[in-house]
Amino acid sequence: MTANNMPAVATPRVAAGALFFDDEGRVLLVRPSYKDHWDIPGGYVEPGESPRAACVREIEEELGLTTAVGPMLVVDWAPAEGEGDKLLFIFDAGLLTRGQEQAIRFADGELTEWRYVTPEDLDRYGPPRLARRLGTAIAARNGSNATYAEHGTAPPRTTLPNQPQ
């Protein structure tokens, strides 16, 4: 119990990212200047901001694009050593047009380059947990179902009592 007799609760960091595709089904990855691996556009949610609003803001700040995002694909409980608990949201940002690709500008200097990567090659560009999370997001998009994940992987489906099979 804490000083005010309330039990301690988790206070995870919350981040949101955008999953963009090209017309060949490849995923847009960006190279942050402050990381040693590639990632998707996105970042931390600010106080009082929704994950969706943070995603839209980060796209504008990082890529210089003003765009809407579609449905949430994945929320991933992904604690990281030294960073504590995290909840990471990925939203479907759809297909980028040629015009949007040409309009990409690294407005805030956090990113140094971008490229499309096939889903099969994602593990070459980042840590395994990121590749798992993006694979889960792609599967959710293809199945039209939002997914809850832990460490990037959806738990096995469990049939509950009185639930149709």
Side-chain angles (χ1 to χ4, degrees):
M1 294 281 196
T2 60
N4 60 1
N5 290 331
M6 296 294 294
V9 296
T11 54
R13 292 175 151 194
V14 179
L19 197 59
F20 285 103
F21 292 88
D22 69 0
D23 56 8
E24 296 177 32
R26 298 177 299 174
V27 176
L28 177 83
L29 293 184
V30 294
R31 184 163 193 114
S33 59
Y34 54 90
K35 290 183 180 179
D36 60 358
H37 63 82
W38 293 73
D39 209 334
I40 58 174
Y44 284 109
V45 176
E46 295 177 354
E49 184 179 45
S50 75
R52 179 184 300 277
C55 187
V56 170
R57 175 183 52 77
E58 288 286 344
I59 292 167
E60 188 166 350
E61 288 177 4
E62 293 182 346
L63 301 178
L65 299 177
T66 301
T67 184
V69 296
M72 183 196 73
L73 298 171
V74 171
V75 61
D76 186 17
W77 179 79
E81 192 170 323
E83 297 181 36
D85 293 341
K86 289 184 178 183
L87 285 173
L88 307 176
F89 291 78
I90 297 180
F91 293 92
D92 188 350
L95 299 177
L96 277 179
T97 65
R98 292 279 181 231
Q100 287 173 310
E101 291 172 355
Q102 293 169 350
I104 291 175
R105 300 288 180 269
F106 300 137
D108 67 3
E110 288 186 16
L111 305 178
T112 60
E113 59 184 301
W114 66 272
R115 69 175 55 162
Y116 288 113
V117 174
T118 64
E120 299 78 29
D121 287 334
L122 288 170
D123 58 349
R124 294 180 38 221
Y125 289 86
R129 69 182 184 273
L130 175 63
R132 287 191 306 267
R133 182 178 311 117
L134 296 181
T136 299
I138 292 166
R141 184 178 194 257
N142 292 339
S144 300
N145 292 315
T147 302
Y148 168 78
E150 293 182 3
H151 305 283
T153 305
R157 182 158 170 82
T158 303
T159 302
L160 301 173
N162 301 320
Q163 181 181 28
Q165 302 213 9

